[in-house]
Amino acid sequence: MANQTLSSAVMGTYNRFPVTLVKGKGSYVWDEEDTKYLDYSSGIATCNLGHVPNAVEEAMNQQLGDLWHCSNLFHIPSQEELAKQLTDNSCGDQVFFCNSGAEANEAAIKLARKYGQDVQQKEQSQIITFTNSFHGRTMATLSATGQEKIQQGFSPLTPGFDYLPFNDDEALNQLEELSPTAVMLELVQGEGGVIPANQQWVERLASICQNQDILLMVDEIQTGMGRTGTLFAYQQYGIEPDVISLAKGLGSGFPIGAIIAKQDVANVFSAGAHGSTFGGNPLATTAGLATVRELTETPVVTESKKIASYLWQELESLKEESTIIQDVRGMGLLLGVELNQPAIDIVHKARNEHQLLIIVAGPNVLRILPPLTTTFDEAKQFISVMKQLLT
Ligand SMILES: *Cc1c(COP(=O)(O)O)cnc(C)c1O
């Protein structure tokens, strides 16, 4: 029987803002009262092409009239084509499709364990992840996540994960002795506070992985799909991961996740080894395909770098004037502004007083996630709000 004392029939897993959004286009969203907001949260790094981007809308409208779902018992042309686009534009060779970020990392974890058994001949496979990381909310991915607050209350955790300190050079010396099957990391820790991995640390990690036959798995669920100024963040680090996890921006808001893997790794997923009913269905991969085409065949990602460097410069100079800003960091249009006060207060003020939507990454960090399609005028508007709130 329904609990009469609760005001919502939806479980209370989210702290929601007191706003109901009903429409979106480009960089803007509108609420029920028709108030217009500049959306620099992008559905948490998901609407990278802005809201309801024309190219994706058109492709989806066509697909909605043709076929929504047919299961992976049949060939799916848009799935094949999206996989081809993703492999043509990355160092990977084959793709597995699923429906979310956690599911993508689940697939990566299963793939690593199977590779450990089949190729490395290990009975038990350990996977190394890093402190402060975020890899998802399912049992395996919250166990992979290096944050106790995410794991609290859900023991027993899934075994098979060891955590090393992020960006810590000395910690890498332990890799040889730990002899893991795989290492999984975010190149910019998103939920953990917008913390980029150090270039030299990543290079050394990648070279240890290569020398010791450890799989290098990058969680690009937040950093991927153009967010950091290249299609994938790893491309700016000059490394070649064995496995790449994707979700968030892949479908412009339609739920879809994926892993891209190198051929020798992908090979261990033979028929029956893994699967998903919805994974890569015609509707989802139509959204993904239109999104990836837009990101790779138009200058949107290159153009976004200009906006990113403008925002970076402006935020850096705000930092000079401000007693509140402690640090400005990030990569491309995944920006973090660390404050010496609770970031959520600024988030509320930005929304209530300036109709600007931004979010937090941890208690003291503002997370700024403009659509890659944002204009200089919008970026200026954003900076003017930041100036009013932070100086
Ligand atoms: C959002 C996120 C996830 C989880 O994705 P879901 O779609 O919410 O399951 C995993 N890893 C990273 C880096 C993320 O940003």
Side-chain angles (χ1 to χ4, degrees), residues 100-102 105 134-136 186 191 219 221-222 248:
S100 68
N105 285 334
F134 182 80
H135 297 300
E186 301 159 85
E191 310 295 314
D219 177 345
I221 290 162
Q222 191 152 166
K248 290 198 166 84

Side-chain angles (χ1 to χ4, degrees), residues 34-216:
D34 217 29
T35 304
K36 182 183 178 185
Y37 299 85
L38 176 61
D39 185 6
Y40 270 21
S41 68
S42 298
I44 316 183
T46 292
C47 306
N48 287 5
L49 295 172
H51 290 277
V52 196
N54 290 341
V56 184
E57 186 186 8
E58 272 168 37
M60 289 298 270
N61 278 337
Q62 176 69 41
Q63 191 62 41
L64 273 168
D66 289 344
L67 181 70
W68 297 5
H69 180 79
C70 63
S71 89
N72 283 303
L73 297 173
F74 299 91
H75 289 281
I76 301 173
S78 53
Q79 186 183 122
E80 285 292 337
E81 185 54 30
L82 176 54
K84 184 163 186 326
Q85 291 279 335
L86 289 172
T87 54
D88 282 354
N89 287 287
S90 72
C91 63
D93 301 302
Q94 279 189 315
V95 183
F96 174 83
F97 288 105
C98 52
N99 314 288
S100 68
E103 266 185 84
N105 285 334
E106 284 276 344
I109 291 162
K110 283 183 71 175
L111 186 67
R113 286 186 174 189
K114 191 102 187 347
Y115 183 86
Q117 288 229 331
D118 293 2
V119 180
Q120 297 173 335
Q121 313 275 309
K122 281 181 183 154
E123 252 174 60
Q124 295 280 336
S125 282
Q126 288 294 120
I127 296 175
I128 302 287
T129 62
F130 294 92
T131 50
N132 215 29
S133 59
F134 182 80
H135 297 300
R137 300 284 196 159
T138 61
M139 277 313 307
T141 59
L142 78 83
S143 304
T145 292
Q147 296 187 57
E148 265 171 33
K149 72 164 196 233
I150 305 277
Q151 300 172 338
Q152 206 76 58
F154 299 111
S155 60
L157 299 181
T158 304
F161 298 98
D162 288 312
Y163 317 95
L164 290 179
F166 188 65
N167 272 341
D168 184 320
D169 210 45
E170 228 157 84
L172 298 185
N173 298 334
Q174 294 176 51
L175 276 176
E176 183 160 15
E177 197 185 315
L178 288 167
S179 182
T181 287
V183 165
M184 181 156 82
L185 80 159
E186 301 159 85
L187 290 166
V188 182
Q189 291 190 329
E191 310 295 314
V194 191
I195 303 168
N198 297 336
Q199 173 70 36
Q200 286 181 348
W201 182 76
V202 170
E203 279 174 20
R204 186 156 165 249
L205 173 61
S207 103
I208 294 172
C209 285
Q210 184 151 35
N211 294 336
Q212 298 181 20
D213 190 25
I214 300 168
L215 297 180
L216 181 61

